[in-house]
Amino acid sequence: MTTVAPVTVVVVGYNHARFVTECLDSIRGQTVAPAQVLVADDASPDDSDSVIYAYLDRHPGFAEYLPNPVNRGLTRTLNSLLRKVRTEYVTYIAADDFMLPHRIERHLALMAGGDLALGYSDALVVDENSDLLFDSSKVEFPWPDEPARSEDTMGQLLFRNWIPAASFFIRTDVLVRSGGYCESLFYEDYELLVRLARDFRFGYVEEPLVAVRRVSTSLGSVGFRAENPQFIHAVDRALRHCT
């Protein structure tokens, strides 16, 4: 019998009909099952909605589906789902990424000490066909050396963000008390990391526990560019936590 852990997995998709089944399968395949799974689609124009409904029909009781009737954006959707979380830990994964089987088990062991607010891990990098591009996200985003990585996490984040967003594993009470996700931003991870690192300790697992997908039309490919005003605003908002 699979152990059930005090973890909520939040899945948010937009135009991820091609990938969401792989994501949901990876959650169902965990060696330690999450107590709660919340799935949202942000009013995708593709057939994500029908794919998700069909999946949940095949696996009744696996997840609660909360589709947005209109497009609300990622951070507003995440905050809406966060209000429904009833577990000690929460992790968000985009519907085009997926978890490796021991992801929840390994992160629970990492967080067991009680003094970490957020855990993270390395990640595989895959393409649109789930073929491996890199066996470590460090190829694209090198990790800082220790001891600075752990002892000066916030300072290191000001130089670069090396932490895969799909790997965040957060204490729910910390995330809620810290204000959740910043809804004025078009993406969530960098500002959230800097804000939490200011006040809390992070821990990590060296091995890849998730896979992140590189898609030409994804938010990371389209939005994370120095000439994008929304990206500049997000970085500025993160850096304000240093004052």
Side-chain angles (χ1 to χ4, degrees):
M1 181 182 233
T2 304
T3 302
V4 177
V7 178
T8 297
V9 177
V10 170
V11 181
V12 179
Y14 182 74
N15 280 350
H16 291 154
R18 289 175 55 194
F19 311 117
V20 66
T21 295
E22 185 173 18
C23 179
L24 296 177
D25 278 346
S26 77
I27 300 168
R28 289 184 59 249
Q30 290 296 297
T31 57
V32 172
Q36 185 179 28
V37 180
L38 303 175
V39 182
D41 179 73
D42 198 14
S44 297
D46 68 3
D47 61 345
S48 292
D49 198 55
S50 60
V51 171
I52 295 169
Y53 272 121
Y55 188 95
L56 298 184
D57 282 344
R58 296 194 301 273
H59 305 286
F62 162 63
E64 183 179 0
Y65 183 36
L66 301 159
N68 289 343
V70 297
N71 185 270
R72 303 182 66 198
L74 176 58
T75 50
R76 289 181 65 195
T77 301
L78 286 172
N79 277 338
S80 177
L81 295 174
L82 180 59
R83 289 190 285 270
K84 296 180 176 295
V85 173
R86 299 293 180 265
T87 56
E88 183 178 1
Y89 302 102
V90 61
T91 179
Y92 153 66
I93 189 165
D96 59 341
D97 298 331
F98 58 90
M99 301 181 183
L100 302 186
H102 289 81
R103 187 275 169 92
I104 291 177
E105 182 178 359
R106 294 284 281 118
H107 268 138
L108 283 171
L110 173 70
M111 303 292 283
D115 63 341
L116 300 177
L118 181 147
Y120 64 93
S121 75
D122 198 358
L124 304 178
V125 183
V126 302
D127 66 12
E128 299 185 28
N129 300 311
S130 298
D131 292 328
L132 186 68
L133 296 174
F134 306 113
D135 61 6
S136 171
S137 63
K138 298 175 186 177
V139 174
E140 298 177 310
F141 303 103
W143 289 20
D145 294 332
E146 287 288 18
R149 186 193 312 161
S150 295
E151 295 180 3
D152 185 29
T153 304
M154 181 176 175
Q156 295 303 307
L157 282 167
L158 299 182
F159 289 103
R160 65 180 180 275
N161 179 10
W162 68 93
I163 303 177
S167 76
F168 294 6
F169 197 90
I170 309 175
R171 292 189 185 276
T172 305
D173 65 332
V174 169
L175 182 56
V176 171
R177 285 189 286 110
S178 298
Y181 299 92
C182 181
E183 294 188 1
S184 68
L185 304 181
F186 80 113
Y187 75 107
E188 84 296 347
D189 58 341
Y190 184 54
E191 186 274 339
L192 176 64
L193 286 172
V194 174
R195 177 164 29 110
L196 293 181
R198 180 184 58 188
D199 300 317
F200 301 100
R201 289 187 61 245
F202 295 0
Y204 59 87
V205 175
E206 286 274 9
E207 69 185 274
L209 296 179
V210 295
V212 295
R213 196 180 303 273
R214 297 293 176 246
V215 181
S216 59
T217 57
S218 69
L219 181 63
S221 299
V222 176
F224 298 172
R225 297 177 178 173
E227 67 272 17
N228 181 354
Q230 290 180 306
F231 178 73
I232 295 170
H233 172 62
V235 173
D236 175 72
R237 182 65 180 259
L239 295 179
R240 288 176 185 272
H241 294 300
C242 304
T243 60

